[in-house]
């Protein structure tokens, strides 16, 4: 067993020095001879049949050692991680600090790996942690607001002869020019005044105009060849329409819902508002809970990982030079890394393992959010080798629910808040899963197992994955578990769909 020495360079970075004897390197030397034998052409010998002494003579023992070291890096790195009990959070760098001498059997190989690792911190006690959230406000005005939203869905647009105002729907003709040259034009654009999703300055320009009037304003273009440039915009208002709402009566209740009377509809909306308020309390409690624990734990954050995430985010948005946005993304990235570290610690403390039902429901919900069929969604994450990421997300969500259920949550009046529905978890690993869900997750066994095997193949230390080594194994366990589940189809499928719909509201 190679000798490993671990050194913490910072709270989030470790150096692993590995001393390898030639005897320990011997299996890789044998493979190196075989590899080189298949690559070189030496008169009198077939490829793959060149003896080791001839390779030493013609190619050089040093080249053999170099080949052996390159092929052994990942194995020695993984062994060093295990011995040092470090969990990587990034890609390692590898360096050969000392090469073994070709003619000295007593010489050793010294490797040095540096990698960002999970920092050490003490998980604060959260059982009995007191959190105060906002009161649930379910008054008639809240019900009226929900009823108005429902009426707006069934409203009609009526053309009016008056100046436009916030909330109206208008039709616009727009022409943009730069230095007198027309660069963009659009006709018959429908826009809700006040929505703020057109060019900056549109709302101010439209308000008080009547149909047939034209005005000009300067704004920054949002797309196209001249994106980001200031342009002179000519705006012509061609129509003003206001939304006419149906009367809130029994007839409307029958049209818009399964209820016969407006009173029954209002009672149903009141229940919805109440449920939404409780869900809002749950979200607030969750955010307070994690923020409090992160502050108490003082979780260190890797600057390297933060910078990588910030660069990736800004590069994707094309805003690498936006310093103000960079600061916002940096703060968000730091908080996200701290949250993940906190939840991973809770997973370990609570011994959390997601059930097959929870994994299936998460896949169904995610597929719905992306507007995909579950099988298509699963194929996408499998091809991207993201099954371990999905499993980690489900596990962390469950850990948070379990931990939050142990906190004491009260409202502003000191009344206990029941978050049992918000913190409910599936404790039955034999929970029934719909046939479609079972087939979907079973497909992961085929789609995700291949990437998992690939990731375990030998590769250089620099190509090591960002994720913890356990992710692939966890994904394979989840996939194997899927194949063992049989379903009561309709009931579980409807339940998953209903919960997905509720989560999306």
């Amino acid at each position: 067993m190679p000798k490993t020495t671990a050194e913490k360079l910072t709270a989030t970075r470790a150096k692993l020095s590995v001393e390898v004897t030639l005897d320990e390197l011997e299996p890789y030397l044998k493979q190196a001879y075989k590899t080189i034998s298949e690559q070189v052409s030496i008169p009198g010998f077939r490829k793959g049949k060149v003896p080791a002494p001839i390779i030493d003579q013609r190619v050089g023992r040093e080249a053999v050692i170099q080949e052996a070291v390159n092929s052994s890096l990942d194995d020695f790195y993984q062994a060093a991680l295990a011995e040092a009990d470090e969990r990587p959070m990034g890609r390692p760098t590898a360096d050969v600090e000392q090469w073994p001498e070709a003619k000295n059997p007593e010489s050793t190989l010294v490797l040095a790996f540096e990698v960002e690792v999970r920092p050490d911190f003490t998980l604060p006690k959260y059982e009995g942690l007191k959190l105060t959230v906002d009161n649930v406000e379910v008054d008639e005005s809240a019900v009226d607001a929900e009823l108005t939203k429902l009426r707006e869905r069934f409203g009609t647009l009526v053309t009016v002869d008056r100046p436009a105002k916030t909330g109206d729907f208008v039709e616009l003709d727009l022409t943009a020019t730069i230095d007198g040259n027309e660069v963009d034009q659009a006709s018959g654009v429908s826009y809700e005044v006040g929505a703020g999703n057109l060019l900056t300055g549109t709302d101010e320009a439209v308000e008080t105009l009547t149909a047939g009037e034209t005005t000009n304003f300067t704004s920054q273009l949002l797309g196209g060849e001249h994106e980001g440039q200031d342009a002179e915009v000519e705006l012509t208002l061609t129509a003003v329409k206001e939304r006419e709402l149906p009367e809130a009566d029994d007839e409307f209740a029958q049209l818009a819902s399964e209820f016969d009377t407006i009173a029954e509809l209002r009672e149903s909306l009141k229940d919805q508002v109440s449920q939404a308020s409780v869900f809002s309390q749950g979200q607030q409690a969750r955010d307070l809970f994690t923020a409090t624990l992160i502050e108490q734990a003082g979780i260190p954050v890797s600057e390297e990982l933060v910078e990588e995430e910030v660069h990736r985010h800004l590069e994707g948005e094309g805003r690498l030079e936006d310093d103000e946005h960079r600061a916002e993304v940096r703060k968000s990235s730091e908080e996200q890394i701290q949250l993940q570290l906190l939840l991973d610690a809770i997973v370990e403390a609570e011994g959390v393992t997601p059930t097959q039902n929870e994994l299936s429901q998460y896949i169904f919900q995610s597929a719905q959010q992306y507007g995909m069929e579950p099988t298509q969604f699963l194929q996408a994450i499998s091809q991207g080798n993201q099954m371990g990421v999905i499993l980690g997300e489900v596990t962390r969500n469950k850990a948070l629910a379990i931990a939050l259920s142990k906190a004491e949550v009260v409202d502003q009046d000191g009344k206990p808040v029941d978050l049992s529905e918000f913190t409910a978890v599936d404790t039955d690993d034999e929970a029934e899963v719909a046939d479609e869900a079972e087939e979907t997750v079973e497909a992961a066994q085929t789609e995700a197992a291949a990437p998992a095997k690939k990731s375990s193949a030998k590769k250089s230390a620099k190509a090591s994955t960002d994720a913890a080594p356990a992710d692939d194994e966890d994904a394979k366990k989840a996939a194997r578990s899927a194949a063992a589940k049989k379903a009561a189809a309709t009931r579980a499928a409807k339940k998953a769909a209903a919960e997905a719909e509720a989560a999306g509201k």
Side-chain angles (χ1 to χ4, degrees), residues 5 13 21 23 87 105 117 147 168 185 240 246 248 252 262 301 321 349 440 453 458 498:
T5 303
R13 190 170 184 82
T21 67
D23 285 343
R87 289 172 292 183
V117 296
L147 182 58
D168 285 341
Q185 186 272 337
V240 179
F252 172 71
I262 191 65
V301 179
E321 306 303 321
T440 300
K453 291 178 182 178
K458 291 180 180 179

Side-chain angles (χ1 to χ4, degrees), residues 43-62:
F45 298 95
R46 290 180 296 165
K47 283 192 174 183
K49 301 295 183 180
V50 183
I54 300 299
I55 291 177
D56 285 344
Q57 180 183 3
R58 295 294 186 90
V59 180
R61 172 74 169 174
E62 291 80 2

Side-chain angles (χ1 to χ4, degrees), residues 140-156 169 192 243-246 248 252 256 262 265-266 269 272-273 276-277 505:
E140 289 304 310
S141 63
V143 177
D144 289 340
E146 288 301 311
L147 182 58
T148 298
K149 290 179 184 177
L150 186 59
R151 291 168 63 200
E152 287 176 347
R153 290 172 53 188
F154 290 85
T156 56
F169 287 82
E192 182 180 1
R243 184 154 40 193
E244 192 173 85
L245 305 183
F252 172 71
I262 191 65
L265 176 56
R266 288 184 64 88
L269 292 175
Q272 291 181 28
V273 171
S277 297
K505 290 182 179 180

